Amino acid sequence: ILPLGVLVSGRGSNLEAIIKAIEEGRLPARINLVLSNKKDARALDIAFQYSIPAEFVDPKAYPDRESYDLALATRLKEAGVELVVLAGFMRILSPAFLEQFPLKVINIHPALLPAFPGVEAQRQAIEYGVKIAGCTVHFVDAGVDTGPIIAQAAVPVEDNDTPETLAKRILEQEHRLLPEVIRWIAEGRVTVKGRRVYVRRD
Ligand code: GAR
């Protein structure tokens, strides 16, 4: 049973997908702690609904990014977390944090990386005019959405798509892909060699 920490900033639909996968026996993990950098994140309500320990940690209460990130890392360590999942966490994590969890932090991003990193990825995809979009689960490194890619899922971009309709189509894939990747990691099937990630299938 892999002990997870989930970092969130908003709606929490990916958090909920992880919770459901655990409850339905599809994911050998437990969520030890949810941390949010936003006080009114709906993700916190979802955690409380499911009686999962959850906390708002206020960035304004810390003098700089490093000390905030170390506060997060300390809480996660104290909670016994072994894999940190960024599920709509809209902050960059500093090397100070990542050193505490080497290759133990994953992120879901709503684009087929390396295309469209950063914010409003779905809008970027529509404005660029791509015909295929999707989502990526990757290990987090010090860059913005640059870490080794574990898995991706693709969806078509339709002519009449808005950022919202495309985001909805991508989100369905996120909810499937993120719990699946966590399961692979929990089952010890994922190895990383440089940029390349290998998943042992059985
Ligand atoms: C998701 O689409 C996720 O991929 C994206 O934010 C949304 C969070 O939704 N993450 C990023 O853009 C990270 N740069 P949720 O709070 O309902 O899971």
Side-chain angles (χ1 to χ4, degrees), residues 34-75:
V34 173
L35 294 178
S36 173
N37 67 319
K38 298 282 184 193
K39 192 182 173 65
D40 44 13
R42 188 181 148 252
L44 287 173
D45 302 330
I46 291 172
F48 293 133
Q49 264 173 45
Y50 289 91
S51 307
I52 294 166
E55 212 184 311
F56 161 58
V57 185
D58 189 353
K60 290 198 207 84
Y62 297 85
D64 52 35
R65 180 177 296 277
E66 248 93 89
S67 51
Y68 180 74
D69 285 5
L70 285 174
L72 296 185
T74 301
R75 280 173 172 74

Side-chain angles (χ1 to χ4, degrees), residues 17-18 21 26-27 174-183:
I18 297 167
R26 288 183 282 123
L27 176 53
E174 296 186 39
H175 294 165
R176 184 185 60 74
L177 194 64
L178 184 56
E180 187 170 28
V181 168
I182 298 169
R183 179 168 61 81

Side-chain angles (χ1 to χ4, degrees), residues 114-188:
F116 316 127
V119 296
E120 296 199 69
Q122 304 94 335
R123 180 181 302 278
Q124 292 183 56
I126 286 182
E127 285 175 0
Y128 195 93
V130 294
K131 302 299 187 192
I132 304 278
C135 57
T136 302
V137 180
H138 64 92
F139 286 107
V140 175
D141 66 10
V144 178
D145 301 324
T146 52
I149 290 171
I150 308 167
Q152 298 182 301
V155 303
V157 180
E158 309 290 358
D159 288 349
N160 56 0
D161 265 335
T162 63
E164 291 71 31
T165 60
L166 178 59
K168 185 160 179 272
R169 193 174 308 120
I170 294 171
L171 200 61
E172 285 174 27
Q173 296 303 314
E174 296 186 39
H175 294 165
R176 184 185 60 74
L177 194 64
L178 184 56
E180 187 170 28
V181 168
I182 298 169
R183 179 168 61 81
W184 296 341
I185 294 172
E187 293 173 349

Side-chain angles (χ1 to χ4, degrees), residues 8-16 42-43 86-91 107-111 117-122 135-136 144-145 167 170-171 174-175 178:
V8 297
S9 301
R11 180 178 52 186
S13 72
N14 278 290
L15 170 66
E16 194 161 22
R42 188 181 148 252
L86 310 188
F89 185 64
M90 304 306 278
R91 270 177 76 92
N107 178 46
I108 179 123
H109 182 75
V119 296
E120 296 199 69
Q122 304 94 335
C135 57
T136 302
V144 178
D145 301 324
I170 294 171
L171 200 61
E174 296 186 39
H175 294 165
L178 184 56

